[in-house]
């Protein structure tokens, strides 16, 4: 019974924290963002939330998801196709 009680306390504690913890999910196409660039994004977003909303950086969560260009669509086309079309147009000019 003690284990169940501890589990409930932990879940309640986490649920309470989640209401106050900013979570930012950045999605970018997987096209070579460096570790340094991602670190700068994480730092910058964390600082922005501190400056604008007075959020605690220690509880701010930033996640960067990199999506393959074949899995990202705009206007009915994949980003892969759009990049190829843009490259062809540039060659024609």
């Amino acid at each position: 019974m003690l284990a169940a009680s501890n589990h409930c306390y932990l879940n309640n504690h986490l649920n309470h924290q989640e209401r106050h913890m900013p979570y930012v999910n950045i999605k970018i196409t997987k096209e070579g963002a460096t570790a340094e660039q991602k670190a700068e994004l994480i730092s910058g977003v964390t600082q922005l939330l501190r400056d604008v909303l007075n959020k605690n950086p220690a509880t701010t969560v930033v996640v960067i998801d990199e999506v393959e260009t074949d899995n990202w669509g705009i206007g009915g086309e994949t980003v892969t196709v759009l990049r190829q079309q843009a490259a062809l147009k540039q060659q024609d000019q």
Side-chain angles (χ1 to χ4, degrees):
M1 198 56 132
L2 183 58
S5 175
N6 286 340
H7 178 72
C8 289
Y9 170 76
L10 180 59
N11 281 342
N12 288 336
H13 181 69
L14 289 175
N15 287 338
H16 176 72
Q17 275 190 327
E18 287 172 3
R19 284 183 252 146
H20 303 286
M21 160 186 336
Y23 173 87
V24 178
N25 185 217
I26 300 171
K27 293 186 182 283
I28 58 174
T29 54
K30 192 171 187 176
E31 298 181 273
T34 65
E36 292 80 15
Q37 289 170 323
K38 291 183 234 179
E40 191 172 338
L41 283 171
I42 291 167
S43 175
V45 167
T46 301
Q47 186 64 44
L48 181 65
L49 286 168
R50 180 175 188 226
D51 294 346
V52 175
L53 299 176
N54 199 31
K55 294 298 182 177
N56 182 354
T59 60
T60 298
V61 177
V62 179
V63 175
I64 299 174
D65 291 327
E66 292 184 277
V67 180
E68 295 289 342
T69 57
D70 285 343
N71 297 330
W72 194 301
I74 302 170
E77 294 287 350
T78 65
V79 170
T80 303
V81 169
L82 293 172
R83 297 275 194 271
Q84 290 168 349
Q85 290 172 348
L88 289 174
K89 284 181 184 177
Q90 218 172 23
Q91 287 177 357
D92 289 343
Q93 294 177 353

